[in-house]
Amino acid sequence: MSIRAVAEKDFRDAIRSRLMIAVAVMFVAFTGGGVALGAASEFGGDSALAVITILMLRGTSVFIPIIALGIAFKSIAGERETGSLKVLLSLPNSRLDVVIGKFIGRTAVVSVAVVVGFLSLLIASAIAFSGELDVMGLVAFMLAALLLGIVFVSIAVSLSAFTRSTFGAAVGAGSVFVLFQFAWAGLVFLLRYAVNGFDWPSGERPDWAEVLTSVNPMEGWRTSANWLVNKLAESGETAQNGADAFYLEPWFGFVVLALWIVLPLVVGYLRFEYSDL
Amino acid sequence: MAAIQIEDVHKTFGDVRALRGVDLDVDEGEVFGFLGPNGAGKSTTINILLDFVRADQGDAAVLGHDAREESVAIRDRTGVLPEGYDLYDRLTAREHLRFAIESKDADNDPYPLLERVGLEDAIDRKAGGYSSGMRQRLALAMALVGDPDLLILDEPTSGLDPNGARELRDIVETEAAGGTTVFFSSHILGQVEAVCDRVGIIRDGELVAVDSIEGLRENVGSGSTLVVEVDEVPDDVAHRLKSRDGVESVSVDGNTLRIGCADDAKTMVIDELEEMGSTVSDFSTEEAPLEDLFAAYTEGEV
């Protein structure tokens, strides 16, 4: 399997760049800081942890995309720029092997960093809250972070396969971040405005606007992460009692995420396959 | 069977017509030198064979496989030294070779491969600290992984010192003796003369000649230079000689005349000189330097 050779080489290369260590250190600082905040708060054990979890989920939704985009945006464009892609493709690796191998390699880098970060969170929490630990809650949190990481690695690898330069890939990564974090809701609103005959829309949001809002990967992740944390956390109650539309169901969040993992890879691959080096 | 078959391949980059209808067959087991000045289309041709770039028109096949559709099968049996490549600065020579071995599903051991290219002492050093010659040696070792049936080497001597170039020639000869087809490009004819069975010369995206070196010489014909010693150089000798058929160039250095002319014009030149009142004390013929032969093709004189 050539995919494995590419992924292994990529992972090894990334470790050597100390990229992963830098990311893990940032992540430890981030989770450790969260715990310290919670420990310093007025609340006792359980509620403190609940507050931390909420804060950390918020932080994670910004932090993980930045990390994943940063780790993966150069993955293919960087090799194209230096010329090492010619070495990679002189060997019997197909372009699909390269895209999938890079995706797996960079996902591994992000995953190791996230797992190291969470182990440190676990240890920090154990010290701060003298043993009363919601381990399953933390595991759920970690899984949610990993899921978000994978989505953005896929998007970044796709951008990297799509553009000819790391500069282009960097611009793409920045744009994607802004789009999904801040601009999406505004764009949906603009669309409503346009559909409304360029007039200020009023009343309930129509279903299509709700669906569009829900297909933002960040929205899909919020839905899935909430479900995961509630499901696995001992203290959690299943809050999904009022879901009356499919796009509010937790499974829809997972579908959105799955699409955001698969589609960017397909698009990036197709563009890469049909372009000259 | 042909190792490489190129039929009417065209390729345009923007408004640059890099290849304008290239046809080329390279036989199995042959050592083929692909020559041309920089920018003539050598790398573009090789990149099409490797599916790095796609032809706008025409067909290319390598080892019986279509270059576009079955590229992985081609690269499975081909060792490549690409042009304008880069290595992974953070990986060692051993790791580079392991990657190549794993990608090719071969069972080589990195050490003997590095021994062949003279890089065994640097096996566990990272490529980032290598000189350009060492990089070229490592890339060559990677090309040799899996005992390929075909070697495609794009400007393999670039970055190598004369010693390295000689070692490269030895490797090419050893591989060729073992039945491997070798296709390599160069912009210097002198480098390919010693090892090539045939050469192809490309100019402005068109193949202008495919022949053995001897064949090229014969074809150029006028490739030799007549060197004549005279007691006295006649006035206006250059002008008068050049006006005769078969004489291409005349240069005067003291009492020595160097006349580029066709073989059958030599006697006429001597006669002409005597007629002008000179006494020829000595004359000899020099074979045209390879550079002149190359220039004759690449500058469009043939």
Side-chain angles (χ1 to χ4, degrees):
Chain A
M1 276 302 262
S2 247
I3 290 177
R4 204 180 115 187
V6 175
E8 269 182 24
K9 181 213 65 72
D10 199 50
F11 184 67
R12 202 185 291 267
D13 200 26
I15 294 173
R16 293 284 165 75
S17 76
R18 301 194 177 80
L19 181 67
M20 200 177 66
I21 295 166
V23 169
V25 166
M26 276 162 66
F27 212 76
V28 168
F30 168 70
T31 52
V35 171
L37 257 177
S41 71
E42 306 280 299
F43 310 104
D46 265 3
S47 41
L49 210 59
V51 169
I52 294 170
T53 308
I54 290 163
L55 282 177
M56 296 284 267
L57 276 174
R58 287 274 159 75
T60 301
S61 71
V62 177
F63 192 64
I64 294 281
I66 293 177
I67 284 180
L69 290 168
I71 280 180
F73 83 96
K74 278 189 186 171
S75 55
I76 293 172
E79 288 215 28
R80 200 171 195 161
E81 215 163 68
T82 62
S84 57
L85 194 58
K86 285 187 174 168
V87 171
L88 201 55
L89 288 173
S90 288
L91 296 165
N93 303 308
S94 68
R95 299 205 186 180
L96 185 62
D97 292 337
V98 172
V99 171
I100 303 292
K102 287 283 180 186
F103 168 67
I104 293 173
R106 301 291 155 130
T107 296
V109 175
V110 171
S111 301
V112 171
V114 167
V115 169
V116 168
F118 271 94
L119 284 179
S120 72
L121 175 64
L122 207 62
I123 294 165
S125 310
I127 295 166
F129 306 111
S130 55
E132 312 161 32
L133 263 187
D134 180 4
V135 175
M136 287 313 283
L138 286 175
V139 168
F141 183 16
M142 186 179 84
L143 289 178
L146 281 177
L147 198 55
L148 188 61
I150 294 171
V151 168
F152 277 88
V153 166
S154 166
I155 291 170
V157 167
S158 171
L159 287 168
S160 205
F162 213 88
T163 53
R164 304 192 70 86
S165 67
T166 51
F167 178 74
V171 169
S175 310
V176 157
F177 182 78
V178 170
L179 171 68
F180 294 148
Q181 293 283 342
F182 312 113
W184 193 276
L187 289 179
V188 172
F189 184 82
L190 272 181
L191 208 59
R192 281 183 69 197
Y193 180 76
V195 168
N196 205 31
F198 295 94
D199 203 2
W200 202 262
S202 58
E204 288 276 299
R205 285 206 289 187
D207 270 0
W208 64 263
E210 294 285 358
V211 173
L212 266 187
T213 305
S214 314
V215 296
N216 180 348
M218 293 316 300
E219 200 57 41
W221 181 72
R222 255 168 237 127
T223 315
S224 327
N226 279 333
W227 181 83
L228 260 178
V229 171
N230 285 329
K231 185 84 175 174
L232 292 181
E234 288 164 22
S235 55
E237 70 273 16
T238 36
Q240 300 293 340
N241 44 4
D244 50 1
F246 71 91
Y247 49 80
L248 296 177
E249 298 272 0
W251 63 259
F252 189 71
F254 286 102
V255 170
V256 167
L257 292 186
L259 286 178
W260 278 109
I261 292 170
V262 175
L263 285 181
L265 289 179
V266 170
V267 172
Y269 160 69
L270 288 176
R271 160 84 174 199
F272 187 45
E273 178 66 53
Y274 293 103
S275 60
D276 289 345
L277 282 198
Chain B
M1 196 183 77
I4 295 174
Q5 268 181 305
I6 301 174
E7 267 173 49
D8 194 29
V9 163
H10 293 253
K11 179 68 184 179
T12 303
F13 297 105
D15 52 4
V16 179
R17 292 181 64 198
L19 297 179
R20 352 180 152 204
V22 171
D23 292 277
L24 178 65
D25 280 354
V26 176
D27 297 330
E28 261 184 11
E30 187 174 24
V31 179
F32 192 93
F34 193 41
L35 287 161
N38 292 325
K42 299 187 300 285
S43 288
T44 303
T45 305
I46 289 179
N47 287 343
I48 284 172
L49 296 177
L50 298 171
D51 195 36
F52 290 173
V53 306
R54 281 67 187 259
D56 300 330
Q57 185 190 321
D59 291 308
V62 181
L63 300 170
H65 296 285
D66 183 81
R68 177 72 190 89
E69 301 298 326
E70 302 167 304
S71 180
V72 172
I74 291 170
R75 286 178 276 136
D76 210 28
R77 292 169 55 204
T78 304
V80 181
L81 184 65
E83 161 272 350
Y85 68 92
D86 195 16
L87 298 169
Y88 299 100
D89 286 353
R90 292 182 289 268
L91 302 184
T92 65
R94 190 193 298 275
E95 286 166 332
H96 275 90
L97 283 171
R98 281 210 186 121
F99 173 52
I101 291 163
E102 207 182 314
S103 291
K104 278 204 158 176
D105 209 6
D107 53 3
N108 289 91
D109 184 7
Y111 192 85
L113 283 169
L114 287 171
E115 241 177 356
R116 284 192 69 186
V117 299
L119 202 62
E120 71 274 18
D121 290 341
I123 186 166
D124 286 318
R125 274 170 56 194
K126 289 179 185 169
Y130 284 4
S131 66
S132 60
M134 290 166 83
R135 288 170 166 263
Q136 195 78 341
R137 285 163 191 262
L138 175 50
L140 183 62
M142 288 174 81
L144 294 174
V145 165
D147 192 19
D149 298 336
L150 168 67
L151 278 175
I152 295 181
L153 314 173
D154 201 349
E155 294 278 354
T157 49
S158 69
L160 293 178
D161 53 24
N163 199 28
R166 194 172 58 246
E167 285 170 22
L168 172 81
R169 199 157 61 225
D170 290 344
I171 288 173
V172 167
E173 278 169 350
T174 310
E175 290 296 309
T180 305
T181 308
V182 184
F183 182 84
F184 72 97
S185 74
S186 178
H187 61 280
I188 304 167
L189 182 59
Q191 286 180 343
V192 310
E193 184 207 12
V195 285
C196 285
D197 300 320
R198 284 197 305 159
V199 298
I201 296 179
I202 189 168
R203 182 183 78 215
D204 291 337
E206 280 171 307
L207 213 57
V208 290
V210 178
D211 210 333
S212 63
I213 300 272
E214 298 77 55
L216 291 179
R217 278 192 199 285
E218 275 170 29
N219 191 25
V220 174
S222 66
S224 56
T225 305
L226 184 64
V227 184
V228 188
E229 298 279 341
V230 289
D231 60 341
E232 198 177 308
V233 178
D235 292 339
D236 205 23
V237 64
H239 187 80
R240 279 188 62 176
L241 284 178
K242 271 195 208 164
S243 66
R244 303 296 301 260
D245 280 348
V247 178
E248 283 179 358
S249 64
V250 177
S251 67
V252 184
D253 180 18
N255 286 348
T256 308
L257 297 172
R258 303 176 67 86
I259 301 135
C261 60
D263 287 343
D264 54 9
K266 282 172 186 161
T267 326
M268 177 274 292
V269 168
I270 303 285
D271 291 349
E272 183 78 17
L273 281 170
E274 306 236 287
E275 209 168 283
M276 278 187 268
S278 304
T279 307
V280 174
S281 55
D282 193 13
F283 71 90
S284 60
T285 308
E286 278 178 5
E287 210 167 44
L290 287 170
E291 287 72 35
D292 292 358
L293 182 59
F294 187 40
Y297 281 99
T298 56
E299 285 161 17
E301 291 168 16
V302 180

